[in-house]
Amino acid sequence: MNKVIVILGPTGVGKTKMSIELAKRLDGEIVNADSMQFYKDLNIGTAKIKEEEKENIPHHLFDIKEVSDDYSIFDYQKDGRKIIGDILNRKKMPIIVGGTGLYIKALLYDYKLSYEKENNTYDELTTEELYNKLLKLDKNIIIDKNNRRRVIRAINYYLENGTSINDNKTDKLLYNAVFIGLTTDREILYDIINKRVDKMLSEGLLEEVKYFYDRKIYTKPLINGIGYKELYKYFAKEETLEEAVNKIKRNSRRYAKRQYTFFNNQLPVIWFDVNFNNFDKTVDEVYKYIISQK
């Protein structure tokens, strides 16, 4: 089957486990579509797959950059398409896995991207001030005003191209892609997210973040990434540990909500309710759907 499979969904819903099971059944190779998992040593806070969990299945675009490196959506589109082409040429099945919707869309659709020369991070401005700056440039922009990274990218895009980043949209798919969404009841998901944060802490999230904080590393993945930015404030004694942990959980829940919004509005997703008591049953349902598609 000359297909590209996409496994998406909110954080914590079982995408990694699904991708492994499908790769075994479909002779697949996994391509990362989580914008935080490109970076080396950001393991616990990103819930990155462990080596022993890969089951000898090839994984691409994980751990390819240092946290000090820039890696833009343009870079990802270029690298990801090359990898997809290589996998297809070897008669294997690319399985794109992750929750960063914009990266998935840029990878698989006819997005015209250019290398981004404008790279100002506007550290001196608050998120609200950034949003107001964007409105002065692009008064009709539709964007999540609380997503600092996306607002910055929209500003830089406008300054470089003289047009709105929203003009750079297309519904033309470049691949025969099947979009599989994993979902569950909202309250169940929020409970999973909260428990997942507690598990990260027990596995050493504090030590992972402190390693970078002690070395005074303030790059984009660390000052924007959920789980990292909140603990930076704790180590800076701006918040208590309890406050920081509560914010990680709250921000993770809010992120999950934004993920649903993007997936439902931007991608042709077929949703499957996850059976957490019998995950193999969900795998069977997804597998049968995929092989039924031409």
Side-chain angles (χ1 to χ4, degrees):
M1 291 186 293
N2 189 24
K3 286 192 184 77
V4 175
I5 307 302
V6 185
I7 307 298
L8 52 77
T11 183
V13 81
K15 297 185 295 292
T16 298
K17 188 175 180 182
M18 176 64 71
S19 69
I20 293 292
E21 294 305 314
L22 289 178
K24 289 191 288 189
R25 297 189 186 196
L26 297 167
D27 195 17
E29 299 187 12
I30 293 169
V31 182
N32 172 40
D34 183 309
S35 62
M36 289 289 287
Q37 294 189 6
F38 305 134
Y39 298 101
K40 299 174 184 176
D41 301 316
L42 302 186
N43 300 322
I44 299 171
T46 66
K48 191 182 294 174
I49 188 170
K50 298 179 176 69
E51 199 60 41
E52 62 270 19
E53 295 171 332
K54 293 180 181 178
E55 301 195 34
N56 296 317
I57 293 164
H59 282 64
H60 304 275
L61 296 179
F62 293 85
D63 296 322
I64 59 170
K65 293 293 175 182
E66 305 292 342
V67 293
S68 55
D69 293 335
D70 285 325
Y71 193 66
S72 70
I73 194 169
F74 169 81
D75 297 317
Y76 175 71
Q77 183 190 68
K78 175 171 59 70
D79 293 344
R81 288 180 181 176
K82 182 178 179 181
I83 288 167
I84 289 173
D86 177 62
I87 295 171
L88 290 172
N89 286 338
R90 290 186 282 105
K91 309 301 182 186
K92 306 284 188 180
M93 185 170 289
I95 301 175
I96 316 300
V97 184
T100 309
L102 187 62
Y103 279 63
I104 293 171
K105 187 148 192 183
L107 176 65
L108 300 178
Y109 285 77
D110 189 23
Y111 255 57
K112 303 294 191 237
L113 297 174
S114 60
Y115 185 76
E116 297 175 8
K117 301 181 186 72
E118 284 283 344
N119 200 28
N120 197 329
T121 57
Y122 303 99
D123 295 334
E124 74 282 1
L125 298 180
T126 66
T127 302
E128 184 178 359
E129 289 169 339
L130 275 171
Y131 179 64
N132 289 332
K133 179 179 178 68
L134 174 60
L135 286 180
K136 289 178 182 177
L137 295 169
D138 187 0
K139 64 180 180 179
N140 296 319
I141 185 77
I142 299 174
I143 198 168
D144 177 5
K145 65 181 182 180
N146 296 314
N147 189 326
R148 182 179 181 90
R149 182 164 51 177
R150 191 165 296 173
V151 171
I152 289 173
R153 185 166 178 269
I155 292 171
N156 287 336
Y157 186 93
Y158 194 98
L159 291 174
E160 184 172 336
N161 298 284
T163 186
S164 175
I165 196 169
N166 281 358
D167 294 338
N168 184 23
K169 290 186 175 178
T170 177
D171 289 321
K172 181 184 176 183
L173 256 174
L174 300 178
Y175 303 91
N176 179 16
V178 180
F179 292 82
I180 302 297
L182 300 183
T183 189
T184 188
D185 177 81
R186 194 65 58 96
E187 292 306 312
I188 293 174
L189 178 63
Y190 287 172
D191 184 57
I192 289 171
I193 289 171
N194 292 340
K195 289 177 178 175
R196 192 185 202 199
V197 173
D198 292 333
K199 186 171 183 284
M200 287 176 176
L201 289 164
S202 70
E203 290 180 344
L205 180 60
L206 280 172
E207 291 77 10
E208 179 170 286
V209 180
K210 194 171 190 299
Y211 172 87
F212 296 103
Y213 180 82
D214 287 347
R215 285 159 180 76
K216 297 180 170 56
I217 300 174
Y218 294 92
T219 53
K220 282 193 287 187
L222 292 163
I223 62 173
N224 292 321
I226 297 172
Y228 297 90
K229 62 183 179 181
E230 296 89 353
L231 290 178
Y232 261 46
K233 290 190 175 183
Y234 162 65
F235 289 124
K237 296 183 169 35
E238 295 176 16
E239 294 182 349
T240 66
L241 180 57
E242 182 181 11
E243 288 171 333
V245 170
N246 285 337
K247 284 189 176 179
I248 294 172
K249 293 177 179 179
R250 181 198 68 188
N251 291 339
S252 296
R253 294 192 301 268
R254 288 179 175 175
Y255 179 57
K257 189 175 180 181
R258 293 197 301 273
Q259 287 175 302
Y260 273 121
T261 299
F262 186 95
F263 298 146
N264 284 322
N265 291 334
Q266 299 284 337
L267 300 170
V269 184
I270 303 299
W271 292 99
F272 291 82
D273 283 305
V274 176
N275 185 332
F276 292 103
N277 295 319
N278 186 358
F279 194 79
D280 287 342
K281 184 177 180 183
T282 308
V283 176
D284 288 340
E285 291 173 356
V286 171
Y287 174 74
K288 287 175 184 175
Y289 176 78
I290 290 171
I291 62 174
S292 73
Q293 302 301 297
K294 292 181 180 181

